[in-house]
Every structure is written in C-alpha cells, then in structure tokens.
C-alpha cells in the first residue's frame, strides 16, 4: 500500500478502500442504504468526500494525532467516510471487523481524549461495556434510529454522543443531534430551509450538489437547526388526516419492553380509506398498554390495532423495512 502519512490499523476491507482512494480517478462508488427501496450504486466525488470529512473534523476539533475508531464495514458510506476523515485530517485510524462488542480488547491508555468512534445503534451496548468508553472524546451513531431506552442510557452516562442526519448522496452526515436533545445542528458549511411540503432542503457551500431537496419532514428553528419529524414517504392519510408515523412512534416506543421494536403503518379501511395500526415483535404490547400515552393525539392518529409479527425485517444497517398491510 502507498504511504498515506497517516497511522492506520486496517481490516482487509478497509485496506481495499484505501487502495481505491489512493488510485487514480476522481470518484468512489458507494451504495444507498436501501431503507426506501433497493440499494442504488452512486459515484461520489473524492473532493466532496474530503469536504464532508473536513466539516466533521472541524465540528469535533479533531486533527493530527487524534484517534478515529471504526468498527463498521468499509463497504458503506459511514465506514468509507471515517477512513477519509483519518486520511484528510492526518488522524490515527483503528479499524476492526464489525461486532456487537467493538474494541473490547483495546486498552484505555491507547485512546487519547481527542478521539471519535463511529458506530451503529446495535453496537452501543457493547461499546458502553468496554474499558475505553469513558475515554472516548466523541461518538457518532448512525445508520438507524436509536431506541429511546438506549438513547437515555447513553445520554445519562455523560458521553459526548450524537445521532447523525445525512445520506449517501451527502457523503454521510450534514447535521448532528446531541443525544438527550431534540434538534439537529448543521455541520460547518451547511444551511437549511424547507420546501412547500415542509421537507428539508440542504444547501452546501462546499459539496458539488449545492442544493438537495429531501423527503424528510422537519420543523426548522433556524437556518442551521431543525427537529426531524419523519419521512414524507411514510405518511398515512386516514379520512383526510395526515399521520406522520414517527410522531406517533415517539410516544409508543419508550413503552416497549427493552429489545422490542415496532412501527406505525396502515391497513385498508372501508370508512377512512386507510387506518393506522402498530406492528411489533413483542407479544406484551397491546392497545391497552399504549393508548394512555396517545390521549393528546387526534383520534385518527391513534392505532386501531396492534399487530404482532415474529420477525420485523431490517435493512443491513438496522433500519426497519416498513410495509403497509393489505
């Protein structure tokens, strides 16, 4: 491998990506997450990826001598970008194969306070049990929503941990939300607005897309801060009442037993066209257990049934694959 000038401890997959990065050519192939359809291949500009990396490094104050930790596959944008951040910032990089117990054998004295780990929610429990957890300067968690119980534990632990907002097309995240708070804050170089649908529009000073219109409903509080409400694709129209599933789920999910998951979807209704129902993999969840928490909602937004599914399908990154019932 060519000398990168950066101290790298790599998995074979990460090493292959570094070779691709150092090879001739101005673009890198990546794939969308597949959360709203089949994953699609994209060609990302190396210049855009470097600009994104610099924004994250600046947000966290990372640079030469900092340690970046990567327990994610280098085949997806989150893994690729953690490597690009290390190469761009002259940081040390420690990569290992993905597992539920990341960096279990790493010694605390080997982790400087100027460090940042990138993980997915399913790795958070294991990382919290590791000896290096109190030493981590920052943690970014992406790829899938963070369960309310888990977010509270991480926030209560005092960790400098953030949920990410972004997509493959934006070369990873453009905004971060400190766990325990409600609003996402823009990384340097990004500003936001909304379109007539109430969906987020991303404006970038440094990435080649310039302006990107999303299908994410948000509540904008300033050009650099917003509260994420849900995906426009998931909206349920029940008798003319538009239901944002994520709004209802935010009230239901904290009531679920630990480890359980679920989502709001719809089924056909002769009276309303479609009506909301809640799908879960927990047999303990019933209408009686969740309706008391939904009293402030319009009655059309309250699920009319709880549907049990033994296994709820997930994407490779851990996002629920939503489906409407027939």
């Amino acid at each position: 491998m060519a000398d990168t000038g950066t101290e790298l401890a790599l998995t074979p997959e990460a090493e292959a990506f570094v070779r691709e990065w150092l090879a001739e050519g101005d673009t890198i192939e990546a794939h969308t997450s597949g959360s709203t359809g089949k994953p699609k291949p994209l060609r990302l500009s190396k210049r855009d990826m470097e600009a994104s990396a610099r924004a994250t490094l600046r947000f966290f104050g990372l640079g030469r001598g900092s340690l970046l930790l990567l327990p994610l596959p280098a085949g997806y944008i989150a893994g690729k970008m953690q490597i690009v951040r290390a190469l761009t910032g002259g940081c040390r990089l420690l990569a290992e194969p993905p597992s539920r117990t990341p960096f279990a054998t790493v010694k605390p004295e080997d982790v400087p306070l100027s460090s940042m780990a990138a993980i997915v929610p399913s790795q958070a429990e294991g990382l919290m049990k590791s000896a290096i957890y109190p030493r981590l300067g920052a943690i970014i968690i992406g790829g899938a929503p963070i369960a309310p119980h888990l977010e509270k534990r991480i926030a209560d632990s005092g960790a400098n941990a953030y949920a990410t907002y972004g997509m493959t097309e934006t070369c990873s995240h453009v905004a971060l939300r400190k766990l325990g708070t409600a609003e996402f804050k823009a990384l340097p170089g990004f500003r936001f607005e909304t379109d007539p649908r109430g969906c987020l529009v991303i404006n970038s000073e440094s990435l080649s897309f310039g302006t990107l219109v999303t299908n994410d409903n948000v509540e904008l509080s300033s050009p650099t801060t917003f509260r994420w409400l849900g995906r426009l694709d998931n909206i349920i129209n029940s008798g003319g009442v538009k239901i944002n599933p994520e709004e209802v789920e935010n009230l239901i999910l904290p009531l679920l037993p630990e480890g359980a998951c679920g989502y709001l979807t719809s089924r056909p209704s002769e009276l309303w066209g479609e009506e909301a129902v809640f799908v879960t993999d927990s047999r303990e969840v019933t209408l009686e257990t969740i309706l008391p928490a939904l009293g402030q909602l319009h009655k059309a937004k309250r699920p009319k049934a709880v549907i049990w599914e033994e296994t709820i399908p997930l994407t490779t990154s851990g996002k629920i694959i939503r489906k409407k019932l027939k």
Side-chain angles (χ1 to χ4, degrees):
M1 182 188 302
D3 184 8
T4 64
T6 298
E7 183 182 338
L8 306 175
L10 302 176
T11 62
E13 186 183 36
E15 187 170 331
F17 172 72
V18 172
R19 285 196 296 268
E20 182 184 8
W21 180 260
L22 297 176
E24 292 185 6
D26 298 327
T27 62
I28 291 288
E29 182 171 274
H31 289 81
T32 60
S33 67
S35 58
T36 58
K38 186 178 180 180
K40 298 180 296 185
L42 297 173
R43 299 300 303 186
L44 298 178
S45 158
K46 289 182 179 179
R47 183 174 297 180
D48 281 354
M49 295 172 77
E50 287 179 332
S52 172
R54 285 192 293 270
T56 299
L57 294 169
R58 182 179 166 191
F59 185 93
F60 288 112
L62 301 168
R64 191 164 299 278
S66 298
L67 175 65
L68 303 187
L69 298 102
L70 176 62
L72 301 174
Y76 288 93
I77 190 64
K80 294 180 191 297
M81 283 307 305
Q82 189 76 330
I83 297 170
V84 175
R85 292 175 197 125
L87 296 173
T88 301
C91 306
R92 296 162 52 208
L93 177 70
L94 176 58
E96 67 173 30
S99 75
R100 297 290 292 272
T101 55
F103 306 112
T105 61
V106 177
K107 298 177 181 178
E109 57 266 29
D110 294 331
V111 178
L113 294 179
S114 177
S115 62
M116 188 262 279
I119 64 171
V120 293
S122 60
Q123 295 175 311
E125 292 277 10
L127 184 62
M128 291 177 74
K129 295 175 183 177
S130 72
I132 70 168
Y133 182 70
R135 295 280 301 174
L136 293 172
I139 304 166
I140 57 175
I141 308 174
I146 306 168
H149 299 294
L150 177 60
E151 174 162 343
K152 185 176 188 305
R153 282 202 300 276
I154 298 172
D156 288 349
S157 75
N160 188 34
Y162 295 79
T164 65
Y165 175 85
M167 56 208 73
T168 306
E169 295 90 332
T170 60
C171 301
S172 187
H173 50 263
V174 299
L176 296 166
R177 178 179 63 82
K178 182 77 177 287
L179 295 197
T181 68
E183 289 194 331
F184 283 92
K185 296 184 178 181
L187 264 66
F190 295 97
R191 293 177 73 82
F192 307 122
E193 57 186 304
T194 54
D195 69 6
R197 305 169 301 161
C199 289
L200 186 70
V201 178
I202 304 168
N203 297 302
S204 173
E205 301 170 359
S206 54
L207 272 65
S208 60
F209 65 76
T211 297
L212 182 66
V213 180
T214 76
N215 280 335
D216 289 307
N217 282 131
V218 301
E219 182 181 280
L220 202 67
S221 49
S222 81
T224 56
T225 54
F226 66 87
R227 187 167 68 92
W228 185 79
L229 303 178
R231 292 281 298 176
L232 186 67
D233 318 62
N234 299 332
I235 291 291
I236 299 166
N237 189 334
S238 183
V241 177
K242 292 184 178 180
I243 306 168
N244 192 324
E246 289 86 355
E247 175 192 6
V248 183
E249 290 165 4
N250 285 339
L251 299 173
I252 296 176
L253 294 180
L255 306 176
L256 267 57
E258 191 165 341
C261 70
Y263 65 99
L264 195 79
T265 187
S266 66
R267 67 183 180 188
S269 166
E270 290 187 8
L271 185 59
W272 308 114
E274 59 180 346
E275 62 185 13
V277 295
F278 187 71
V279 177
T280 179
D281 58 4
S282 171
R283 289 189 180 276
E284 298 179 34
V285 180
T286 66
L287 279 179
E288 288 71 24
T289 63
I290 63 176
L291 285 180
L294 308 179
Q296 74 271 37
L297 294 178
H298 188 288
K299 62 181 181 180
K301 296 183 178 182
R302 302 172 203 164
K304 302 302 182 287
V306 170
I307 310 296
W308 178 78
E309 282 193 8
E310 184 173 7
T311 302
I312 294 177
L314 306 175
T315 66
T316 54
S317 61
K319 295 180 183 177
I320 289 175
I321 300 176
R322 297 172 180 265
K323 61 180 181 180
K324 292 193 174 186
L325 305 184
K326 298 179 180 180

